[in-house]
Amino acid sequence: MSDNVLSYIEMCLREGTSLQQGMNFGLGGTHSVILVSFRQNAPYRDKIADDGTTLIYEGHDLPKGNKNPNPKTVDQPEKYSSGALTQNGKFHQAAQLAKVGKEPPERVRAYEKIRPGIWSYNGMFLLVDSWQERDARRNVFKFRLNAVVGEENLSEPVHRDAPRRRIIPT
């Protein structure tokens, strides 16, 4: 496979963890990972904006279960009942701190699902904003990520003014 097209196993080996969920905050303390899909039947409404330089990523639902038979009818949570932050909450907190300049933006690697078990690496992004909005039935989290060049060296500090790049659709 090419450098940007990876099997699920290759993707997990690269990230050093099993990527069982679409949002993975603070892996190794150096970056986060999101899994995106722009396919028609995708469960979340991720989209490319700003002439192809920005990814608007939708937060994730509570898992389906006995207490939550239809997650698409329940607000996306920021915290668990224990008070601990969900992945939505962790990303939201980081985005808000970056937005007001209290912390550098979180580096986020994005992988796009091409087909079952096959992923395309879409590059590095900086998490710069977040908000909640109402869809037809509930409140969902939205995250603004700028596609950037030159942020792959995770041992260097984040460059807030990293040059932007266009997202190349898979």
Side-chain angles (χ1 to χ4, degrees):
M1 290 190 199
S2 78
D3 290 343
N4 285 349
V5 177
L6 306 161
S7 71
Y8 173 76
I9 292 171
E10 290 170 320
M11 181 177 65
C12 291
L13 286 172
R14 178 180 188 200
E15 297 304 337
T17 189
S18 177
L19 298 167
Q20 295 293 318
Q21 50 193 358
M23 300 174 77
N24 304 273
F25 187 81
L27 299 180
T30 60
H31 69 289
S32 295
V33 170
I34 57 173
L35 307 179
V36 301
S37 178
F38 302 110
R39 299 179 337 175
Q40 277 189 344
N41 63 346
Y44 300 99
R45 296 170 304 153
D46 305 330
K47 67 180 182 178
I48 298 172
D50 298 337
D51 217 15
T53 63
T54 301
L55 170 62
I56 305 297
Y57 185 77
E58 185 171 288
H60 281 226
D61 305 330
L62 282 171
K64 186 175 183 175
N66 290 339
K67 291 183 179 181
N68 188 28
N70 188 354
K72 295 294 183 191
T73 62
V74 179
D75 290 348
Q76 289 181 342
E78 183 173 6
K79 295 180 179 180
Y80 295 107
S81 57
S82 67
L85 293 173
T86 64
Q87 291 296 308
N88 291 328
K90 291 174 184 179
F91 275 83
H92 181 60
Q93 183 178 66
Q96 292 304 301
L97 290 171
K99 182 177 175 179
V100 297
K102 289 187 176 182
E103 292 288 335
E106 178 74 9
R107 283 186 181 110
V108 181
R109 285 184 176 156
Y111 295 91
E112 180 183 347
K113 187 173 191 173
I114 298 174
R115 59 182 183 265
I118 305 297
W119 298 83
S120 173
Y121 177 56
N122 277 8
M124 190 66 78
F125 293 76
L126 297 181
L127 176 62
V128 296
D129 197 5
S130 63
W131 62 94
Q132 284 187 290
E133 66 182 44
R134 186 119 186 117
D135 71 7
R137 296 180 260 178
R138 68 206 178 120
N139 291 320
V140 296
F141 280 91
K142 294 290 185 168
F143 301 95
R144 177 178 297 275
L145 299 110
N146 292 339
V148 294
V149 175
E151 288 296 310
E152 289 291 338
N153 186 345
L154 301 176
S155 64
E156 290 184 6
V158 173
H159 299 95
R160 292 178 190 266
D161 59 348
R164 301 277 295 268
R165 67 174 171 83
R166 291 194 67 198
I167 303 164
I168 300 169
T170 301

